[in-house]
Amino acid sequence: FFCHLLFGVAALSRSLRMDAGNIPSIKSLLVLDSDGKRIISRYYKGEFASLAEETAFEKKLSDKTIRTNAKNEAEIVMFDNMVTVYRNSADVWFYVIGHHAENELILVAALTALYDALTSVLRQAPDKRALMDNFDVLLLCIDELCDGGVILETDPTTIVNRAGMKGSDGAPTGPEAAFTEQSFNNMFASAREQLARSLLK
């Protein structure tokens, strides 16, 4: 009886590990410019101990992939024992990085969803200036794509709709928006004057 119990517990443990391993997830998501400098990076699995290590990894990854032709579709490479899928658009490079045993097709689907969602929202192929000017949109799209590395959505239309809803939450339009911006400008000017007065005393 005891042996059967141990066998059952071991089988259940294996099953739970397999189920956990089947959850589509990514280790990191990067958007770099043509010099290998980050526009945004998200590391979900704590691969690196410091910002310097992250930056060094990003530079190495950029150097390895920047001369490849990944404009029309995603490319796949094994880099530092991790599966990396990437795609180029104008002067930016998108990377989705997964565990070495992760399904490449899932990673490609995540990358394509992010790229297509941004293209739809920006109404153009993403480039560095557009992404910097619409950084909030980039963040929202990434947050709708995955949470803590777990892939939540791979349909670009759904990502765009959800990002649009979150972006509009609490964002007044029309006269209210103008009033909010004007109030902020007045508050900033007032604070600047008070600081100037305090420095002159």
Side-chain angles (χ1 to χ4, degrees):
F1 172 78
F2 186 67
C3 288
H4 286 298
L5 181 62
L6 283 177
F7 180 77
V9 169
L12 178 61
S13 176
R14 279 197 305 273
S15 173
L16 289 173
R17 281 200 304 272
M18 284 175 66
D19 288 343
N22 287 336
I23 298 172
S25 63
I26 61 179
K27 283 177 170 280
S28 52
L29 188 153
L30 312 172
V31 182
L32 307 178
D33 67 14
S34 54
D35 296 321
K37 294 178 181 173
R38 72 169 57 169
I39 295 172
I40 189 170
S41 63
R42 292 282 177 87
Y43 290 90
Y44 300 108
K45 305 297 181 184
E47 287 291 314
F48 304 103
S50 67
L51 176 62
E53 287 184 15
E54 291 176 1
T55 305
F57 170 78
E58 291 162 16
K59 182 62 177 159
K60 281 197 308 180
L61 180 60
S62 174
D63 289 345
K64 182 173 179 67
T65 58
I66 199 159
R67 290 179 184 83
T68 58
N69 183 19
K71 289 185 183 297
N72 298 321
E73 59 184 23
E75 295 285 335
I76 302 169
V77 65
M78 184 68 81
F79 184 76
D80 275 10
N81 202 32
M82 293 179 281
V83 177
T84 300
V85 299
Y86 61 97
R87 183 170 181 173
N88 168 236
S89 175
D91 55 353
V92 293
W93 293 76
F94 296 87
Y95 299 88
V96 173
I97 301 164
H99 187 268
H100 67 86
E102 188 59 80
N103 186 325
E104 297 95 342
L105 295 178
I106 291 174
L107 300 179
V108 168
L111 175 65
T112 303
L114 177 62
Y115 179 87
D116 289 348
L118 288 169
T119 300
S120 176
V121 173
L122 299 173
R123 294 185 173 86
Q124 67 175 71
D127 60 28
K128 183 175 181 178
R129 178 167 186 160
L131 292 177
M132 296 304 289
D133 288 346
N134 298 277
F135 198 71
D136 56 335
V137 171
L138 175 59
L139 292 175
L140 287 170
C141 287
I142 291 172
D143 288 344
E144 290 304 323
L145 174 72
C146 65
D147 181 25
V150 176
I151 298 170
L152 301 175
E153 185 59 67
T154 56
D155 177 43
T157 304
T158 304
I159 292 173
V160 168
N161 290 340
R162 289 181 182 167
M165 284 191 297
K166 285 190 176 178
S168 63
D169 284 350
T173 57
E176 290 180 11
F179 175 75
T180 303
E181 187 177 350
Q182 185 178 1
S183 299
F184 178 78
N185 289 338
N186 290 343
M187 182 180 68
F188 185 74
S190 175
R192 189 172 54 201
E193 287 173 13
Q194 288 179 2
L195 179 63
R197 278 196 227 105
S198 66
L199 290 173
L200 290 172
K201 284 182 181 177

